[in-house]
Amino acid sequence: MTESDNSPSLVTSPLRRRLTEVRIPPDVQHFFTDWSATLFLVAVVEAELPDTPGVLPVWAAVTRCCPRAELRILDPNQIGLLEQLVGGESELDLQSLELPALLIFDDEWVLQANWGPRPASAEPLLDEWLARHPEYEQLVAADEAGDESASLPLGELGEALQWEMRTWYNSGLDRDVAREMQALVAALSEAIEE
């Protein structure tokens, strides 16, 4: 996992723990080990988002399986650099990406695909958690509006959600992230062959 030199440290304690917990299915490992094309993966993440410790370690584990892949990590403040790289060639609006987001580039740094912020199988779990904690979204909105009184309860609920998501990822969502990445890259291969 590589961080940009001028980005704040994203390897927080929850991320460190998750890096040791991630398990990639053997068939997915085999797929990425045999992948022959170059893949440049750019993860645009914010450390405090609950999904980040779930997906970033999986992206790193998949990258370790693929000898022709390289993972770069950017925070949202570096989107301008990415826009310069992509230029007008992409239809993707980088400013409106839902984070965390994984961008997949070919060997000429042409954007091929994007993925995020979580696997489809996580959506019902998150919807159920949000239904049990409706105050979370209200606190997020208040915090984004600059209401400092929202920070403490939001932080506590954010930690609770992050812990819950860690359980989800360790219980099967890791596999789902890896398989969705595999499907995305396999689709790129099919598009190249056509």
Side-chain angles (χ1 to χ4, degrees):
M1 192 162 44
T2 305
E3 286 187 53
S4 174
D5 292 339
N6 54 358
S7 69
S9 177
L10 293 169
V11 186
T12 61
S13 188
L15 276 172
R16 285 185 200 285
R17 283 191 301 270
R18 283 279 300 134
L19 284 167
T20 65
E21 298 167 346
V22 172
R23 302 294 177 260
I24 305 297
D27 62 311
V28 176
Q29 290 179 35
H30 187 271
F31 172 86
F32 281 104
T33 299
D34 287 346
W35 184 256
S36 61
T38 300
L39 291 174
F40 291 112
L41 308 174
V42 176
V44 183
V45 299
E46 287 186 68
E48 64 274 2
L49 291 176
D51 281 296
T52 297
V55 296
L56 185 57
V58 179
W59 297 340
V62 167
T63 303
R64 284 192 305 269
C65 294
C66 188
R68 305 239 358 183
E70 184 177 320
L71 176 65
R72 298 290 176 150
I73 301 170
L74 299 178
D75 70 33
N77 296 327
Q78 297 169 312
I79 290 285
L81 298 171
L82 196 55
E83 287 176 329
Q84 290 175 3
L85 177 68
V86 173
E89 299 175 22
S90 172
E91 295 179 17
L92 181 64
D93 179 6
L94 296 173
Q95 295 295 332
S96 64
L97 280 176
E98 188 175 355
L99 302 181
L102 181 68
L103 307 175
I104 301 175
F105 295 87
D106 65 13
D107 60 346
E108 295 179 9
W109 282 94
V110 175
L111 182 63
Q112 299 296 313
N114 66 296
W115 184 94
R118 66 190 63 88
S121 56
E123 294 297 339
L125 299 169
L126 182 58
D127 289 344
E128 180 185 318
W129 189 90
L130 291 171
R132 289 192 324 265
H133 303 281
E135 68 277 18
Y136 179 77
E137 289 179 309
Q138 295 165 348
L139 289 168
V140 167
D143 186 61
E144 288 173 353
D147 182 354
E148 292 180 20
S149 66
S151 294
L152 183 60
L154 177 59
E156 291 171 358
L157 267 177
E159 286 178 23
L161 176 56
Q162 198 171 65
W163 179 259
E164 188 84 18
M165 291 183 108
R166 180 178 172 201
T167 303
W168 300 340
Y169 280 95
N170 286 337
S171 298
L173 292 185
D174 283 354
R175 289 186 307 271
D176 296 345
V177 172
R179 290 198 188 287
E180 286 186 22
M181 284 182 69
Q182 178 185 14
L184 197 58
V185 171
L188 295 178
S189 176
E190 291 172 13
I192 291 168
E193 291 173 3
E194 289 179 355

